[in-house]
Amino acid sequence: MYNEKVLKEFMKPQNIGSIDNATTVAEVGSPQCGDMTKLYLKIENNIITDAKFQTFGCAAAIATSSVGTRMLIGKSTDEAKKITNKDIINELGGLPPAKIHCSVMFEEVMQKALENF
Ligand code: FES
């Protein structure tokens, strides 16, 4: 049910883990499935220089977090605030409708981490 790009991202995800001296950290749970994602951001001079995640989510959550963290790195915090789950889904070439909420979880954790900053 997943496209090749999603499967590839799930099999070889990037940016899994934590950042010891993160500038901001946020954790969000999905009300739909009860899974959770935690996001760590390192921000220097308003630029996101590193992003790492940990998730108890499914393949779609891992793939969206992997792509999402890559999209965050190098962006200013203002640019990052404009990233939506739709941007991440587009980057992945689509997600099954039943898995959209998994990408929403990443959008929410990203927005929460940026708000906490
Ligand atoms: Fe829970 Fe995908 S994150 S089903």
Side-chain angles (χ1 to χ4, degrees), residues 81-100:
K81 281 178 190 158
K82 294 183 193 139
I83 298 173
T84 67
N85 72 310
K86 290 190 183 72
D87 297 324
I88 299 170
I89 291 171
N90 284 343
E91 194 68 25
L92 281 167
L95 272 182
K99 291 293 176 177
I100 301 295

Side-chain angles (χ1 to χ4, degrees), residues 2 30 33-36 55-61 98-99 101-102 105:
Y2 292 120
S30 169
C33 62
D35 290 330
M36 293 188 69
T55 185
F56 292 110
C58 65
K99 291 293 176 177
H101 73 270
C102 318
M105 182 162 69

